[in-house]
Each structure stands twice: as structure tokens, then as C-alpha cells.
Amino acid sequence: MSKVVVIGAGFSGHTAALYLGTKLGRKHDVTVISNRDVFGYVPSWVWVGIGHMKPEKTIFKLKPIYNKKHVKFVHAAAKEIHPDAGDQYVIGEEIGTGKEVRLDYDYLVIAPGPLLNFAGTPGLGPENGFTHSICSLPHALKARDAYLALCDRMAKGEQVKIVIGTGHPGATCQGAAFEYIVNVHKDLVKRGLRDKADILWLSNEPALGDLGVNGVQIKRNGHMLVSEEFIRSVFKDHGIRYQVQTGVTKVEEGKIHWQNYEGEEGTTDFDFAMLIPQFKGQPFKYIGKDGSDISSKLVNPAGFVLVDGKYGLTYPELAQTPEAWPAKYNNPSYPNVYSAGIAFAPPGPISKPFTNKNNLVIAPAPPRTGMVSGMVGRVVAMNIIDAVEGREPSHSERMTEMVAACVASMGDSLWDGNAVTIVMRPVVPDRKKYTNEYGRDLFVSHLEMGLSGAWMKYMLHYTFIWKFKANPGWTLIPE
Amino acid sequence: MEQEFSKSEKFWMNFKLYQLWRFIVLNLKVYTVAVQSKRR
């Protein structure tokens, strides 16, 4: 009997656990260890953050789902990983009791999601800072309360300044921030308060619409349409100001400090700010058989798990080397240790990085959206299933091969809402296969805005919650 | 593309019947490309 342990139960960890449980759960030991006992449907937190969706609609308990799939669930925070052969185990601390738990494994999946590194920007974040976030459910709820209090102030006639974007020069997830800024705009229009707010998009993207993926490019009616023009049109239409090529360096009460590409330092005042923090890997301890710290064999300095990618290439080299992106997502030193979702270390950025004259690197990190995380979770699960059943792990999917579909909400009403539907192939440009200047399949790539997108966004919410609850037919729904 | 959406573009973005058609087309498109991943 093989033992498989999955750390984390987000999009990637939960997806891996469902496949592993379905295929191996009856004969083998599949265990999920997570510090949260609920699954959170992250894409809908943008609506929670403005009070348009109740938080309980975005979460459900994990244990009943795992019971059904023959997966054991341990509600504990993983602390240590001991990967050396012969005695491979994970140490965790049980939530509530603080009791130590030990989980032995033959195969390990590290998929705990990101560490929200608010400490990387002094003054950032809802706990020890002055800004908000929608990256976790408690944060989205705090953002909602602050936003609704702001609306009350506006209703009394006060003029306010709202800043939404990225809170660190190396932050990612610009798409979520984009959804939030447009939803805030739409909500204020509906409340009749839009004229009371000055809204600013503040981001580390090299260009508007970059979204951390080097932009989205499509061919429509024989003409090229790039996301930069598209987002600029949206912002102009909505009266949203924007400032890109900017890295936030510090936040004080009501004041954001930043540096831009030119090396200029400046400040922006705000009454309400939602800024995405830098993401880092979870700070697990990686301990060798002799008790030594073996982190350097498993993770990069930011704590992301090293997998089968080619690391250390310069940006121009990486841009020409699609095969540098990981395929099977296992660690070269410990091939039975896999990683999925935000946790694995990408070989470099997708968007062009920039270092200003003050040596500040302003570079969006590669986003790993729900679809990408789910796909990697499935690839990892399938490879472990192969290995457990005595086959050579045969599944692979690089981000330079992956298709990603993303629906960015721009107003949640089913009657007059709006959303941008984006389809990209591949997520990371492959300039060898697609010889156009963008390195993407311009036939498949798609960008469209309309009410149908708002319907899609709702449909995806309910469809994916159905899938993640492992209800009948869940495997038919693609990641 | 112009800097702002034209009246015609805005009309089609919220014209329910046309959007129902786009909803079907987009679903097919997204599903078709997403299932390709399942084959690897």
C-alpha cells in the first residue's frame, strides 16, 4: 500500500486529492493536510469584497467530500518536511489542539498556496497595515466592510480616493485586482456615488493590460487587438485613471509610496486601497536525515518548490526556451516530491522585468490562475497514480503548452453586468512553436466583453463548486 | 480600436439575444480548448 500526502486543499491540492482519491483511495492511503477545513472558491471573492456575494456561497467543508472519495483529512498546518529516503514524512500542528501530527509518505504533493507577504511592503495589508486585500476570505470580508463604510461616507457627500492594484514591485494576480476595480466602479455607479470617487489603477505591469502574462493578443476581423488597447478603452470608458510601471515600496496611513521605471519616487493619497501583496512560498522547514537544513535542494530563496524546470536563464533566454518551463512538476533531488499551484517555482517571469536606476526590480511574477493550478494538480495526481500503479509517470503539461480561459467580472448583474472572457494559448508564450511576435496561437486566443461573460462567470462559479464537491460528472468538467 | 467603446459596441455588449448567442459560442470555445488539456 502506498502513502500519498497532499499539503494544501486549494485549487491545485484539492484537484490532486480528488483524482488521487478516486483512483487510489480504496487501495492506498491518500491524506490531505490543510490548515483550513473548507475549500474556498477564490474567483468569487471579488464579489464578496464589495458585498455582492455572501461568503458562505464561496466555501464548503472539505471532510465530507474527502470521506466520499476515500481521502483522509487532517486539519493541521504543515511545518516540516523530511524528504530523505527511508524515512519520509511531514510534521504538522493540529489546528485547535496544537498537537503534533506525523504523516509518512511515499509520494508528496506540496500545494499549500501562497504566503501573502504583506511584510515585503511596510504598511501593506489589512492586519498590520493600511490597505486591503481580497486574497483570502477574511481579507475579502474586511475589504467589504471598509468599502461599505467608505460608501456611507460618500453618501454623506464626501469625495474619496480609491486605489486598486499591486502592492509590491514583484506582485502578481493583476487580473483579480482588475476585476475588483471594475466591480467597485460598477457598484458605485449603481449606488449613484461614482462622482464621489477618484479611482486609480496602480500597478507594476510594464504596460496596461499586461496582467503578468505579457498581455493578451488576438486577431479579430484580420486586425490585431491587444489587451493594452482594450483595457485602456475600459478604463477611459469608466473614468478610471491608471499608473503602470510602478512598484509600491511603502504604505502609510492614507499615503502610498512608490517608485517607477524612471526611478522617480512619489506618493499617492488614498481613502481606500486594495493592493495585492507579493506572494512567497510557505515557510516550511526542509530537514535532512541528519537534522540539517536541506531547503536549498527543494526550494528557491522565495520558498517556491524547485521542480523540473530549467532555472537560472536570463529573461531573453527564457523567452526563447519554452522547454525551460516545468512539465511534470517533481523535484529533481526528490522525484517523489511534487508541487502544484502557486507553490512551484516558475523559471522566471512571463512579463518583461525592469530594473530602475535605484536597482528596484519592477516585475510582475507569473500568475498561476485557478485553471492553471487545477491543471497542474491533475498532472501531478496522474503521475503519482502512474507511479503507484507501477508505470512510468507519463503526464506532462508545461505552461508553454497550456490553454487558459479566464472570465474577468466587470459587474455581476445578470441583467446588465459585464465581463471580459479571455482565452489564451499558451499561457506562457512559446516563440518556437508560434512564430508571430507574441508567441501565441492567435487563432485560439480570444478576448471579448459583454453580458454573456457575466453569465459565464456565474455559471463557472456554480459549475466549479459542483466539480470541487466531487458531485456526479465532476471529472467531465475540465479544470 | 478607438480609445472608448462606440455606442454600437456598447449596444451589442448588452443586447440580450446576441449575448445569448455569444454565451453559447463562448462556452463551446472555452470547453473545446479546455478539454484538449485532459488528453495529455
Side-chain angles (χ1 to χ4, degrees):
Chain A
M1 186 180 76
S2 293
K3 291 176 181 168
V4 185
V5 171
V6 180
I7 302 175
F11 270 66
S12 56
H14 185 61
T15 301
L18 292 183
Y19 281 103
L20 289 164
T22 304
K23 294 275 186 181
L24 305 175
R26 287 176 198 274
K27 290 182 183 168
H28 302 274
D29 193 353
V30 180
T31 307
V32 171
I33 172 171
S34 172
N35 57 356
R36 290 185 296 269
D37 62 349
V38 293
F39 177 85
Y41 187 72
V42 182
S44 294
W45 290 346
V46 66
W47 292 334
V48 173
I50 53 166
H52 282 209
M53 182 171 270
K54 289 183 177 168
E56 54 270 24
K57 282 195 168 180
T58 65
I59 54 172
F60 59 82
K61 286 272 184 193
L62 287 164
K63 201 163 186 329
I65 313 302
Y66 290 151
N67 286 344
K68 163 164 99 168
K69 288 286 156 200
H70 316 286
V71 173
K72 290 176 190 157
F73 178 67
V74 177
H75 188 199
K79 298 281 179 197
E80 295 174 9
I81 295 168
H82 298 250
D84 275 338
D87 198 15
Q88 300 172 315
Y89 60 96
V90 174
I91 295 288
E93 189 181 298
E94 201 171 68
I95 305 295
T97 64
K99 216 171 71 183
E100 186 176 287
V101 289
R102 173 183 163 137
L103 299 169
D104 292 295
Y105 70 82
D106 299 305
Y107 298 93
L108 176 66
V109 181
I110 304 175
L115 170 77
L116 304 176
N117 185 32
F118 290 109
T121 310
L124 191 77
E127 276 141 23
N128 300 308
F130 306 99
T131 63
H132 289 277
S133 140
I134 51 167
C135 299
S136 76
L137 190 54
H139 290 175
L141 290 169
K142 274 194 176 180
R144 175 198 68 184
D145 295 344
Y147 169 72
L148 294 177
L150 189 80
C151 289
D152 289 342
R153 283 167 55 189
M154 284 188 267
K156 288 175 186 158
E158 197 177 330
Q159 287 285 339
V160 300
K161 289 176 178 165
I162 296 174
V163 181
I164 294 171
T166 52
H168 186 277
T172 182
C173 252
Q174 290 79 5
F178 170 74
E179 285 189 81
Y180 193 64
I181 199 169
V182 184
N183 273 275
V184 164
H185 158 83
K186 289 269 173 165
D187 183 65
L188 291 177
V189 169
K190 290 218 163 172
R191 290 172 188 269
L193 298 172
R194 182 61 184 88
D195 60 327
K196 302 287 181 208
D198 171 46
I199 307 182
L200 174 72
W201 172 255
L202 186 68
S203 141
N204 59 350
E205 297 160 289
L208 198 61
D210 179 273
L211 301 171
V213 290
N214 217 16
V216 181
Q217 308 81 21
I218 64 162
K219 212 169 207 177
R220 183 181 287 169
N221 303 328
H223 299 287
M224 284 305 302
L225 171 64
V226 296
S227 52
E228 182 177 359
E229 296 167 10
F230 188 81
I231 303 288
R232 190 179 292 137
S233 299
V234 171
F235 281 181
K236 184 156 190 197
D237 193 70
H238 293 4
I240 295 172
R241 297 189 300 117
Y242 57 88
Q243 179 179 335
V244 292
Q245 302 185 343
T246 303
V248 171
T249 52
K250 190 171 87 172
V251 182
E252 292 174 325
E253 191 166 9
K255 201 178 281 291
I256 295 165
H257 295 255
W258 48 258
Q259 281 190 38
N260 62 15
Y261 271 23
E262 285 71 41
E264 296 163 343
E265 297 183 25
T267 60
T268 300
D269 295 339
F270 70 93
D271 294 285
F272 173 88
M274 197 295 288
L275 299 175
I276 305 282
Q278 181 193 33
F279 289 175
K280 287 182 105 173
Q282 295 289 350
F284 300 138
K285 284 181 182 168
Y286 296 90
I287 300 169
K289 215 168 195 174
D290 56 358
S292 60
D293 178 2
I294 52 165
S295 301
S296 59
K297 287 168 87 175
L298 281 130
V299 291
N300 68 12
F304 295 112
V305 180
L306 298 166
V307 287
D308 59 331
K310 198 185 278 182
Y311 298 100
L313 298 179
T314 62
Y315 180 78
E317 287 168 343
L318 180 62
Q320 300 301 328
T321 318
E323 61 278 10
W325 286 78
K328 294 186 175 176
Y329 303 92
N330 60 339
N331 180 267
S333 304
Y334 299 97
N336 61 335
V337 175
Y338 289 79
S339 184
I342 287 279
F344 81 82
I350 306 171
S351 300
K352 197 174 178 186
F354 189 89
T355 306
N356 72 12
K357 64 182 183 189
N358 307 321
N359 277 328
L360 180 73
V361 179
I362 304 175
R368 274 141 285 167
T369 59
M371 186 166 181
V372 170
S373 297
M375 283 185 194
V376 177
R378 180 177 46 78
V379 167
V380 162
M382 292 304 182
N383 281 333
I384 292 173
I385 293 162
D386 277 346
V388 168
E389 294 180 344
R391 298 184 297 271
E392 186 63 26
S394 61
H395 298 267
S396 70
E397 192 154 8
R398 300 180 197 275
M399 283 176 74
T400 45
E401 298 165 325
M402 257 177 218
V403 179
C406 172
V407 183
S409 168
M410 297 172 62
D412 61 330
S413 167
L414 291 174
W415 181 250
D416 61 355
N418 206 340
V420 187
T421 305
I422 299 168
V423 179
M424 261 188 305
R425 181 163 77 184
V427 177
V428 178
D430 178 346
R431 291 180 175 84
K432 283 185 180 166
K433 186 169 181 185
Y434 305 104
T435 51
N436 59 62
E437 62 177 301
Y438 307 108
R440 293 218 170 92
D441 182 342
L442 300 177
F443 178 73
V444 167
S445 296
H446 191 87
L447 185 71
E448 180 172 337
M449 186 164 109
L451 176 63
S452 55
W455 297 340
M456 292 268 291
K457 184 86 180 170
Y458 263 104
M459 189 200 70
L460 291 178
H461 173 96
Y462 291 106
T463 307
F464 276 98
I465 285 185
W466 178 275
K467 176 186 174 74
F468 288 128
K469 283 183 173 176
N471 284 327
W474 71 272
T475 53
L476 299 175
I477 301 166
E479 278 64 45
Chain B
M1 178 184 269
E2 291 174 8
Q3 287 290 296
E4 272 183 281
F5 296 105
S6 66
K7 278 187 177 174
S8 152
E9 282 173 312
K10 284 184 178 179
F11 169 79
W12 288 109
M13 278 178 203
N14 201 39
F15 182 55
K16 309 290 184 289
L17 206 59
Y18 175 70
Q19 287 300 316
L20 180 63
W21 162 243
R22 296 310 302 163
F23 179 72
I24 295 163
V25 170
L26 284 171
N27 264 298
L28 286 172
K29 175 141 196 162
V30 170
Y31 188 78
T32 310
V33 295
V35 290
Q36 288 173 2
S37 158
K38 308 280 282 185
R39 295 177 192 145
R40 289 180 200 277

